[in-house]
């Protein structure tokens, strides 16, 4: 379960992997005469188009982003580039919109290396999530995956994976990978080796303690950010950030994803995927799936709030990481992601819908964040605003709620000290 800027999750029906978060698919399209067609429809969920219509400040950004996606796809078709790079650019544009937001100001060599890194690590994630593979086969592939980036022999697939096209046509990624500077190749192979080994470890091991939880999140997300930092260092000859801070923001991204994806993971077939640590959920129920039961609603919320509180422990250092980034392109890519994930935690806190039908930010709110997050000041503004929402949901009747309140107070104070005006409104 890998939280690459997919996790920015601004998927407005762009294609592969859009999955359940794409109620706008087909809402805006371009016909063969290059005329734009608008079809207002919804799939009946609150985070779709109709959910955002109630918030008029989100309608324009949502339409703008979808139209930009359509126009980018048309531009890709006209670009005179080799088919393997066309495939790679197209897939990254579909799954990592926060990186695409800054690609115009990113050096080509840096951009290409980061894009191939994203696709390689996403391929690892599809293997980890592939329920059709036996445990033995999955562990073997994960442990040796870094050897196969060069040979392009990974072409197996199944019909249940969102990113099966990536595995079917991984040879395109291999071809592009081999055209990168050898220094980038070595960095990508190193991170893939470490991530694959870590994923293999947790195929055979339960996420039992909070230390296990942190270790798992390090392997599947912390290493992604560390890898980006190392690629940047190779390109620019200077460090982007320390490994510790890079890992911290990776842990934050991953934990936010694990919390909001509870239903997706627990309902997976043929068996649920369990990433919540037993040390937390074991206090409340005998089995993690029991949190879905209506009779366990009170316990489920206590467990959920403890999970969110654990994720909040990484926010202060994550903001420090972002504020120190020297590269504006990488900053914007990760800043959008940070605001989206923090907003998702504010939405999930004390929200029983996490266990009923899922809790996701509206597409329009995501699009608004996409266009309004450009500077560190914008990040502080959004995080402060979402902190107020989160604070309003905290009931200080138990120790974890008090801890959450203290963490939110610290986050608010950090934002205030950095000059936030609280003039923007991000209504969940």
């Amino acid at each position: 379960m890998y939280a690459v800027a997919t996790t920015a999750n601004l998927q407005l029906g762009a294609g592969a992997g859009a999955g359940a978060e794409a109620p706008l698919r087909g809402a805006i399209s371009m016909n063969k005469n290059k005329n734009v067609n608008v079809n207002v429809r919804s799939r009946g969920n609150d985070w779709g188009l109709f959910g955002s219509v109630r918030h008029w400040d989100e309608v324009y950004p949502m339409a703008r982003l979808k139209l930009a996606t359509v126009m980018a796809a048309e531009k890709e078709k006209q670009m005179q580039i080799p088919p393997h790079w066309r495939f790679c650019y197209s897939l990254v544009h579909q799954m990592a919109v926060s990186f695409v937001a800054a690609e115009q100001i990113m050096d080509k060599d840096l951009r290409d290396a980061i894009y191939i890194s994203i696709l390689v690590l996403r391929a690892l994630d599809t293997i980890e999530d592939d329920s059709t593979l036996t445990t033995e086969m999955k562990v073997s592939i994960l442990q040796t995956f870094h050897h196969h980036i060069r040979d392009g022999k990974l072409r197996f697939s199944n019909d249940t994976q969102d990113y099966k096209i990536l595995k079917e046509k991984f040879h395109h990624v291999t071809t592009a990978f081999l055209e990168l500077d050898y220094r980038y190749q070595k960095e990508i192979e190193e991170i893939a080796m470490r991530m694959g080994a870590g994923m293999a470890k947790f195929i055979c091991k339960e996420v039992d303690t909070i230390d296990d939880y942190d270790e798992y999140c390090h392997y599947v997300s912390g290493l992604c950010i560390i890898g980006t930092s190392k690629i940047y260092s190779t390109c620019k000859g200077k460090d982007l950030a320390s490994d510790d801070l890079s890992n911290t923001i990776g842990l934050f991204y991953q934990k936010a994803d694990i919390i909001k994806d509870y239903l997706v993971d627990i309902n997976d077939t043929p068996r649920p995927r369990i990433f919540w640590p037993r040390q937390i959920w074991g206090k409340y129920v005998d089995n993690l799936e029991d949190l879905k039961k209506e009779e366990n609603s009170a316990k489920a919320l206590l467990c959920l709030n403890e999970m969110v509180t654990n994720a909040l422990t990484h926010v202060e250092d994550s903001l420090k990481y972002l504020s120190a980034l020297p590269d504006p392109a990488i900053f914007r890519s990760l800043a959008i992601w940070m605001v989206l994930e923090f907003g998702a935690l504010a939405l999930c806190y004390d929200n029983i819908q996490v266990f009923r039908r899922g809790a996701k930010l509206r597409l329009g709110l995501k699009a608004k964040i996409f266009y309004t997050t450009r500077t560190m000041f914008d990040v502080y503004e959004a995080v402060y605003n979402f902190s107020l929402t989160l604070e309003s949901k905290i009931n200080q009747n138990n120790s974890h709620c008090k801890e959450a309140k203290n963490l939110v107070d610290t986050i608010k104070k950090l934002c205030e000290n950095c000059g936030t005006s609280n003039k923007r409104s991000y209504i969940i």
Side-chain angles (χ1 to χ4, degrees):
M1 181 181 182
Y2 162 52
V4 105
T6 128
T7 297
N9 282 334
L10 282 165
Q11 296 163 337
L12 301 183
E21 285 201 38
L24 264 184
R25 184 179 286 113
I28 301 177
S29 58
M30 182 177 289
N31 63 24
K32 63 182 180 181
N33 295 320
K34 306 232 169 121
N35 296 316
V36 174
N37 301 317
V38 179
N39 176 23
V40 179
R41 59 189 177 88
S42 173
R43 292 185 181 176
N45 55 52
D46 291 341
W47 52 81
L49 177 60
F50 286 176
S52 288
V53 164
R54 296 196 296 268
H55 304 271
W56 287 103
D57 59 332
E58 299 173 10
V59 174
Y60 173 69
M62 181 166 55
R64 179 184 173 189
L65 183 58
K66 177 56 185 178
L67 183 57
T69 303
V70 173
M71 299 298 289
E74 287 297 311
K75 183 178 179 181
E76 284 173 19
K77 294 177 183 178
Q78 298 171 12
M79 291 173 63
Q80 299 299 315
I81 57 176
H84 53 280
W85 279 111
R86 186 184 304 279
F87 173 82
C88 293
Y89 290 158
S90 176
L91 199 53
V92 171
H93 288 174
Q94 293 169 20
M95 60 185 273
V97 181
S98 68
F99 276 92
V100 177
E103 73 174 3
Q104 298 303 321
I105 56 173
M106 193 180 294
D107 291 347
K108 181 181 184 300
D109 287 350
L110 178 61
R111 178 197 66 197
D112 288 350
I114 289 176
Y115 278 16
I116 297 305
S117 177
I118 288 172
L119 294 176
V120 165
L121 301 185
R122 170 55 67 187
L124 264 175
D125 181 63
T126 64
I127 295 166
E128 183 201 24
D129 292 346
D130 193 337
S131 59
T132 68
L133 297 175
T134 65
T135 297
E136 294 76 12
M137 185 181 297
K138 188 180 293 188
V139 168
S140 176
I141 295 172
L142 290 171
Q143 290 176 334
T144 62
F145 180 86
H146 59 288
H147 294 307
H148 298 296
I149 302 172
R150 293 180 179 277
D151 61 33
K153 292 180 180 179
L154 288 171
R155 299 188 187 183
F156 59 90
S157 66
N158 67 75
D159 293 334
T160 63
Q161 297 296 309
D162 285 338
Y163 293 102
K164 74 167 190 169
I165 189 174
L166 176 57
K167 289 190 293 183
E168 287 178 339
K169 299 185 178 182
F170 191 77
H171 58 284
H172 285 317
V173 180
T174 291
T175 304
F177 170 84
L178 293 173
E179 292 179 2
L180 297 176
D181 186 293
Y182 187 72
R183 297 171 301 162
Y184 298 134
Q185 294 179 28
K186 295 302 292 182
E187 295 291 0
I188 293 170
E189 285 178 321
E190 171 70 17
I191 292 298
M193 179 184 71
R194 293 167 64 185
M195 183 180 287
M199 287 177 168
K201 177 178 179 178
F202 280 94
I203 295 295
C204 305
K205 173 182 171 59
E206 182 180 339
V207 180
D208 189 25
T209 67
I210 292 175
D211 285 343
D212 291 337
Y213 186 40
D214 287 348
E215 184 182 6
Y216 174 75
C217 292
H218 161 72
Y219 288 134
V220 300
S221 186
L223 284 175
C224 169
I225 308 300
I226 290 171
T228 299
S229 296
K230 290 187 179 301
I231 289 171
Y232 178 86
S233 179
T234 298
C235 178
K236 300 293 186 179
K238 57 184 178 181
D239 291 337
L240 184 65
S242 70
D243 284 0
D244 286 344
L245 278 180
S246 298
N247 186 60
T248 294
I249 197 167
L251 295 185
F252 174 73
Y253 292 152
Q254 188 64 32
K255 289 183 176 184
D257 268 6
I258 285 173
I259 290 166
K260 68 188 181 187
D261 285 347
Y262 167 84
L263 273 183
V264 174
D265 293 330
I266 209 68
N267 291 333
D268 196 36
T269 56
R271 56 186 177 276
R273 293 180 293 168
I274 297 177
F275 303 110
W276 290 33
R278 182 183 290 272
Q279 185 176 341
I280 291 179
W281 63 260
K283 300 175 187 177
Y284 305 100
V285 288
D286 294 328
N287 299 292
L288 183 59
E289 52 264 41
D290 292 343
L291 293 175
K292 294 191 301 180
K293 297 178 179 178
E294 191 167 348
E295 61 267 27
N296 291 329
S297 293
K299 293 178 180 179
L301 287 177
L302 289 173
C303 181
L304 171 63
N305 294 346
E306 189 172 346
M307 287 288 292
V308 174
T309 300
N310 174 271
L312 291 177
T313 62
H314 304 294
V315 173
E316 185 177 4
D317 280 345
S318 295
L319 291 173
K320 290 178 181 177
Y321 168 88
L322 288 175
S323 67
L325 287 179
D327 187 274
I330 293 179
F331 165 78
R332 188 168 183 225
S333 303
L334 298 179
I336 292 170
W337 195 0
M338 174 77 199
V339 173
L340 287 167
E341 298 293 25
F342 190 79
L345 288 183
L347 173 64
C348 288
Y349 192 88
D350 210 43
N351 186 347
I352 197 63
Q353 295 306 324
V354 171
F355 306 100
R356 298 289 184 266
R357 60 183 180 87
K360 300 180 178 68
L361 295 179
R362 294 182 306 278
L363 292 175
L365 180 54
K366 291 180 180 182
K368 179 180 176 181
I369 290 168
F370 181 85
Y371 283 111
T372 58
T373 306
R374 298 182 178 275
T375 67
M376 195 63 213
F377 178 80
D378 297 331
V379 175
Y380 289 132
E381 285 274 284
V383 169
Y384 184 85
N385 201 280
F386 284 131
S387 293
L388 296 177
T389 299
L390 205 161
E391 184 179 44
S392 70
K393 300 163 77 174
I394 296 175
N395 182 339
Q396 300 184 55
N397 289 333
N398 63 60
S399 59
H400 294 299
C401 288
K402 292 177 182 177
E403 183 184 359
K405 179 64 167 63
N406 290 336
L407 287 167
V408 171
D409 285 344
T410 299
I411 294 165
K412 286 171 54 186
K413 185 176 180 180
L414 176 61
C415 294
E416 289 171 338
N417 290 342
C418 293
T420 181
S421 64
N422 195 29
K423 291 182 178 179
R424 294 180 186 168
S425 177
Y426 296 88
I427 300 172
I428 293 177

